[in-house]
Amino acid sequence: MRLFLAFPLPTDIITYVGTLQTHIEDPHLRLPESPHLTIKFLGEVDEEKLDALKALIKKIDAKRINLRLGPIGAFADWKKPRVLWVGVEPAQDVIRLQQQVDVLLKDMFPKDEKFHPHITLARVKEDIDAPMTGKIQKLAVEPREFTIDKLVLYRSVLTRQGPVYTELAKIDLS
Ligand code: 2AM
Protein backbone atom coordinates (compact mmCIF):
# COMPACT_ATOMS: atom_id res chain seq x y z
CA MET A 1 0.00 0.00 0.00
CA ARG A 2 1.09 3.52 -0.80
CA LEU A 3 1.62 5.53 2.38
CA PHE A 4 2.68 8.98 3.51
CA LEU A 5 2.79 11.02 6.69
CA ALA A 6 1.28 14.49 6.60
CA PHE A 7 -0.27 17.26 8.62
CA PRO A 8 -3.93 17.69 7.75
CA LEU A 9 -4.88 21.36 7.43
CA PRO A 10 -7.74 23.22 9.18
CA THR A 11 -10.86 23.70 7.07
CA ASP A 12 -10.39 27.47 6.68
CA ILE A 13 -6.89 26.95 5.29
CA ILE A 14 -8.12 24.24 2.90
CA THR A 15 -10.81 26.66 1.70
CA TYR A 16 -8.27 29.45 1.25
CA VAL A 17 -5.92 27.18 -0.71
CA GLY A 18 -8.91 26.33 -2.93
CA THR A 19 -9.44 30.05 -3.50
CA LEU A 20 -5.79 30.47 -4.51
CA GLN A 21 -6.21 27.56 -6.93
CA THR A 22 -9.10 29.33 -8.67
CA HIS A 23 -6.68 32.18 -9.50
CA ILE A 24 -4.26 29.90 -11.34
CA GLU A 25 -6.66 27.65 -13.24
CA ASP A 26 -5.03 26.66 -16.52
CA PRO A 27 -5.23 23.57 -18.76
CA HIS A 28 -1.49 23.02 -18.25
CA LEU A 29 -1.97 22.54 -14.53
CA ARG A 30 -3.53 19.84 -12.36
CA LEU A 31 -4.94 21.20 -9.13
CA PRO A 32 -5.03 18.58 -6.35
CA GLU A 33 -8.15 18.54 -4.21
CA SER A 34 -7.03 17.61 -0.71
CA PRO A 35 -4.29 20.03 0.33
CA HIS A 36 -2.05 18.84 3.14
CA LEU A 37 1.48 19.36 4.41
CA THR A 38 3.52 16.23 3.64
CA ILE A 39 6.12 15.29 6.23
CA LYS A 40 7.39 12.09 4.64
CA PHE A 41 6.40 10.14 1.57
CA LEU A 42 6.84 6.44 2.41
CA GLY A 43 5.89 4.94 -0.94
CA GLU A 44 4.82 1.28 -1.30
CA VAL A 45 4.85 -0.50 2.07
CA ASP A 46 4.01 -4.20 2.64
CA GLU A 47 0.85 -4.63 4.65
CA GLU A 48 2.67 -6.86 7.17
CA LYS A 49 4.95 -3.92 8.06
CA LEU A 50 2.05 -1.66 8.93
CA ASP A 51 1.83 -2.59 12.62
CA ALA A 52 5.58 -2.03 13.11
CA LEU A 53 5.30 1.32 11.35
CA LYS A 54 2.33 2.39 13.48
CA ALA A 55 4.20 1.37 16.65
CA LEU A 56 7.19 3.50 15.61
CA ILE A 57 5.24 6.62 14.79
CA LYS A 58 3.39 6.37 18.12
CA LYS A 59 6.77 7.29 19.65
CA ILE A 60 6.73 10.73 18.07
CA ASP A 61 6.75 13.26 20.83
CA ALA A 62 6.23 16.80 19.62
CA LYS A 63 4.43 19.97 20.51
CA ARG A 64 1.75 21.66 18.44
CA ILE A 65 3.15 23.90 15.74
CA ASN A 66 1.90 27.40 15.02
CA LEU A 67 2.39 28.29 11.38
CA ARG A 68 1.39 30.89 8.85
CA LEU A 69 1.16 30.64 5.10
CA GLY A 70 4.16 31.93 3.19
CA PRO A 71 4.71 33.04 -0.39
CA ILE A 72 4.19 30.94 -3.52
CA GLY A 73 7.13 28.84 -4.62
CA ALA A 74 8.02 26.39 -7.38
CA PHE A 75 9.90 23.08 -7.64
CA ALA A 76 12.43 22.74 -9.23
CA ASP A 77 12.57 26.49 -9.95
CA TRP A 78 10.61 29.29 -11.63
CA LYS A 79 12.38 28.69 -14.96
CA LYS A 80 10.84 25.24 -15.32
CA PRO A 81 8.24 24.76 -12.60
CA ARG A 82 6.86 21.24 -12.06
CA VAL A 83 5.13 21.81 -8.73
CA LEU A 84 3.64 25.10 -7.51
CA TRP A 85 3.16 25.45 -3.81
CA VAL A 86 2.39 27.67 -0.86
CA GLY A 87 5.14 27.90 1.75
CA VAL A 88 4.74 27.71 5.52
CA GLU A 89 6.58 29.73 8.13
CA PRO A 90 8.53 29.23 10.27
CA ALA A 91 9.68 26.31 8.10
CA GLN A 92 12.27 25.36 10.72
CA ASP A 93 9.59 24.16 13.16
CA VAL A 94 8.28 21.71 10.56
CA ILE A 95 11.79 20.65 9.51
CA ARG A 96 12.58 19.80 13.15
CA LEU A 97 9.63 17.42 13.34
CA GLN A 98 10.46 15.95 9.94
CA GLN A 99 13.99 15.19 11.15
CA GLN A 100 12.61 13.47 14.26
CA VAL A 101 10.42 11.30 11.98
CA ASP A 102 13.35 10.57 9.67
CA VAL A 103 15.50 9.33 12.56
CA LEU A 104 12.66 7.26 14.01
CA LEU A 105 11.98 5.53 10.69
CA LYS A 106 15.60 5.23 9.54
CA ASP A 107 15.63 1.42 9.64
CA MET A 108 12.50 1.16 7.48
CA PHE A 109 12.80 4.12 5.07
CA PRO A 110 15.65 6.13 3.56
CA LYS A 111 16.18 9.57 5.02
CA ASP A 112 15.01 12.51 2.91
CA GLU A 113 18.00 14.34 1.47
CA LYS A 114 16.18 17.63 1.24
CA PHE A 115 12.88 18.57 2.72
CA HIS A 116 11.13 21.81 2.00
CA PRO A 117 7.77 22.06 3.77
CA HIS A 118 5.04 23.15 1.38
CA ILE A 119 1.36 22.84 0.50
CA THR A 120 1.03 21.76 -3.11
CA LEU A 121 -1.21 24.06 -5.14
CA ALA A 122 -0.69 22.59 -8.59
CA ARG A 123 1.31 20.08 -10.58
CA VAL A 124 2.46 21.16 -14.01
CA LYS A 125 1.31 18.69 -16.70
CA GLU A 126 2.74 20.64 -19.63
CA ASP A 127 5.18 23.54 -19.61
CA ILE A 128 3.52 26.84 -18.80
CA ASP A 129 4.51 29.98 -20.68
CA ALA A 130 6.35 32.96 -19.19
CA PRO A 131 3.28 35.26 -18.81
CA MET A 132 1.41 32.54 -16.91
CA THR A 133 4.46 31.82 -14.76
CA GLY A 134 4.74 35.55 -14.02
CA LYS A 135 1.07 35.76 -13.07
CA ILE A 136 1.40 32.82 -10.66
CA GLN A 137 4.62 34.19 -9.19
CA LYS A 138 2.86 37.49 -8.41
CA LEU A 139 -0.09 35.83 -6.65
CA ALA A 140 -0.17 37.28 -3.15
CA VAL A 141 -0.71 34.80 -0.33
CA GLU A 142 -2.28 36.15 2.86
CA PRO A 143 -0.08 35.10 5.80
CA ARG A 144 -2.97 33.27 7.45
CA GLU A 145 -2.16 31.63 10.76
CA PHE A 146 -3.06 28.12 11.80
CA THR A 147 -2.10 25.44 14.31
CA ILE A 148 -1.01 21.89 13.53
CA ASP A 149 -2.16 19.55 16.28
CA LYS A 150 -1.81 16.11 14.70
CA LEU A 151 0.27 14.07 12.32
CA VAL A 152 -1.56 11.49 10.22
CA LEU A 153 -0.46 8.31 8.46
CA TYR A 154 -2.39 8.28 5.21
CA ARG A 155 -2.97 5.58 2.64
CA SER A 156 -3.15 6.92 -0.88
CA VAL A 157 -5.07 5.00 -3.53
CA LEU A 158 -4.51 6.33 -7.02
CA THR A 159 -7.68 6.48 -9.11
CA ARG A 160 -8.59 8.03 -12.45
CA GLN A 161 -10.23 10.87 -10.55
CA GLY A 162 -7.06 11.50 -8.55
CA PRO A 163 -5.65 10.10 -5.31
CA VAL A 164 -8.00 9.11 -2.51
CA TYR A 165 -6.53 9.46 0.97
CA THR A 166 -7.64 7.48 4.03
CA GLU A 167 -6.40 7.96 7.57
CA LEU A 168 -4.69 4.84 9.02
CA ALA A 169 -3.21 6.28 12.21
CA LYS A 170 -3.06 9.59 14.02
CA ILE A 171 -0.54 11.07 16.46
CA ASP A 172 -1.75 13.97 18.58
CA LEU A 173 0.78 16.71 19.20
CA SER A 174 0.84 17.92 22.81
P1 2AM B 1 3.29 17.05 -2.07
O1 2AM B 1 2.02 17.11 -2.84
O2 2AM B 1 3.26 17.86 -0.86
O3 2AM B 1 4.51 17.28 -2.90
C1 2AM B 1 1.07 11.75 -1.31
O4 2AM B 1 1.39 11.21 -2.55
C2 2AM B 1 1.94 12.94 -1.03
O5 2AM B 1 3.28 12.54 -0.88
C3 2AM B 1 1.90 13.93 -2.15
O6 2AM B 1 0.95 14.92 -1.85
C4 2AM B 1 3.29 14.46 -2.23
O7 2AM B 1 3.37 15.63 -1.48
C5 2AM B 1 4.15 13.51 -1.44
N1 2AM B 1 5.23 12.91 -2.22
C6 2AM B 1 6.54 13.14 -2.01
N2 2AM B 1 7.28 12.41 -2.84
C7 2AM B 1 6.43 11.73 -3.60
C8 2AM B 1 6.59 10.81 -4.68
N3 2AM B 1 7.80 10.44 -5.11
N4 2AM B 1 5.50 10.33 -5.26
C9 2AM B 1 4.28 10.71 -4.84
N5 2AM B 1 4.05 11.54 -3.82
C10 2AM B 1 5.11 12.06 -3.22
Side-chain angles (χ1 to χ4, degrees), residues 2 4 36 38 41 118 120 123 165:
R2 187 182 170 87
F4 67 103
H36 52 267
T38 302
F41 178 70
H118 64 277
T120 296
R123 297 184 203 285
Y165 302 143

Side-chain angles (χ1 to χ4, degrees), residues 2-5 32 34 36-38 40-42 75 83 118-120 123 156 158 163 165:
R2 187 182 170 87
L3 304 179
F4 67 103
L5 285 161
S34 312
H36 52 267
L37 182 42
T38 302
K40 192 170 179 69
F41 178 70
L42 304 175
F75 293 146
V83 177
H118 64 277
I119 300 165
T120 296
R123 297 184 203 285
S156 166
L158 304 177
Y165 302 143

Side-chain angles (χ1 to χ4, degrees), residues 69-132:
L69 297 179
I72 296 254
F75 293 146
D77 53 45
W78 283 109
K79 269 189 228 138
K80 201 172 168 59
R82 304 314 321 163
V83 177
L84 303 165
W85 44 264
V86 178
V88 292
E89 293 169 348
Q92 199 48 44
D93 292 357
V94 182
I95 292 170
R96 211 172 295 122
L97 178 67
Q98 195 276 344
Q99 286 170 343
Q100 188 187 337
V101 170
D102 246 3
V103 170
L104 205 60
L105 301 185
K106 70 177 185 328
D107 294 334
M108 287 183 86
F109 302 96
K111 279 194 177 186
D112 289 324
E113 286 307 317
K114 36 180 183 180
F115 171 72
H116 189 113
H118 64 277
I119 300 165
T120 296
L121 264 192
R123 297 184 203 285
V124 181
K125 292 188 291 183
E126 285 170 62
D127 287 351
I128 43 180
D129 57 23
M132 182 63 188

Side-chain angles (χ1 to χ4, degrees), residues 12-111:
D12 58 323
I13 297 295
I14 292 177
T15 306
Y16 181 61
V17 169
T19 307
L20 290 174
Q21 286 175 322
T22 62
H23 292 295
I24 61 167
E25 264 176 278
D26 184 276
H28 296 86
L29 301 177
R30 193 171 58 239
L31 308 176
E33 273 174 25
S34 312
H36 52 267
L37 182 42
T38 302
I39 292 297
K40 192 170 179 69
F41 178 70
L42 304 175
E44 282 299 322
V45 178
D46 292 340
E47 205 163 339
E48 57 262 32
K49 290 189 181 156
L50 189 57
D51 285 342
L53 173 61
K54 284 185 185 174
L56 272 180
I57 59 177
K58 285 253 146 56
K59 293 184 183 171
I60 294 168
D61 181 19
K63 298 230 176 297
R64 290 167 182 229
I65 305 177
N66 295 318
L67 296 173
R68 62 183 173 274
L69 297 179
I72 296 254
F75 293 146
D77 53 45
W78 283 109
K79 269 189 228 138
K80 201 172 168 59
R82 304 314 321 163
V83 177
L84 303 165
W85 44 264
V86 178
V88 292
E89 293 169 348
Q92 199 48 44
D93 292 357
V94 182
I95 292 170
R96 211 172 295 122
L97 178 67
Q98 195 276 344
Q99 286 170 343
Q100 188 187 337
V101 170
D102 246 3
V103 170
L104 205 60
L105 301 185
K106 70 177 185 328
D107 294 334
M108 287 183 86
F109 302 96
K111 279 194 177 186

